[in-house]
Amino acid sequence: MMKPSVSVESPATNTPRKGRGFSKDELATIKWSVKQAREAGLIVDIRRRTKHKENIATLKVIKEDYVKVLAEKEKELLKARKDGAKARKEALKRKQIEDKELSEREIEIEEERKRVQEEIAKKEAAELEAESEAEELTEDEIAELDSLEEEVAPEETPEEALEKVEEDLAAALGITDEEKPEEEAAPEGTKRAVKRVRKKPTTTTKGAADKADKKE
């Protein structure tokens, strides 16, 4: 708090002495109110009504200095406000850039996810198509199957199969068609029985030659 010296005159001797503070009339001369003087740190003597040139000159100097101090403070405050506004603006700009980068990154991630899903779907479709193509026969395979079916003989009837068995059996036993016994006609609806015929020994066999030697 500023405590400048205040000079007043003694009422009894009219000699100068140190006073308590500035009077209202002295403050009014420099166009200051009591509130302004107290805000500047001055002491105001409300009871004193006199004015002194020395006190008024001191108040003028104090006021000039105080105005300069206020101007400096105002400049500092304005600068602080500007710096704060600039810092907030830069922070907002950085946040916008970060949000934009984050949004772009999210978009890239979403696009990458969609691309991967599309690739998976295409791969699955290709696999299904390959499986369906593998299951379907080509024209060459169909032609080959047709040729194989043509080469396969038609199925034999039971009578033909039985007749073939008899022929194979007769050939194995060496029975000719003349030596085959006559077979009775089987009634309709019944199966024909196969009669086994033993092969007659011929004179060319070794056993027949031995018997001939013994008889002689």
Side-chain angles (χ1 to χ4, degrees), residues 207-216:
D210 294 339
K211 287 181 180 180
D213 293 338
K214 287 180 180 180
K215 287 180 180 181
E216 291 177 357

Side-chain angles (χ1 to χ4, degrees), residues 41-101:
L42 300 177
I43 298 173
V44 180
D45 188 0
I46 298 175
R47 294 180 299 175
R48 187 167 64 85
R49 298 180 180 275
T50 58
K51 290 193 299 184
H52 297 283
K53 294 180 180 180
E54 296 84 0
N55 295 337
I56 293 172
T58 303
L59 284 174
K60 288 181 179 180
V61 174
I62 292 171
K63 184 178 180 180
E64 290 177 359
D65 294 339
Y66 183 68
V67 169
K68 290 179 181 179
V69 171
L70 288 179
E72 291 293 332
K73 288 183 178 180
E74 188 68 23
K75 286 181 181 180
E76 291 177 359
L77 182 61
L78 183 60
K79 184 180 179 182
R81 288 178 180 176
K82 287 182 178 180
D83 293 341
K86 185 177 180 180
R88 287 192 297 272
K89 188 176 180 180
E90 291 177 354
L92 180 61
K93 188 175 181 180
R94 285 195 301 270
K95 188 176 183 303
Q96 290 176 351
I97 294 172
E98 291 175 358
D99 293 342
K100 185 178 179 181
E101 291 177 353

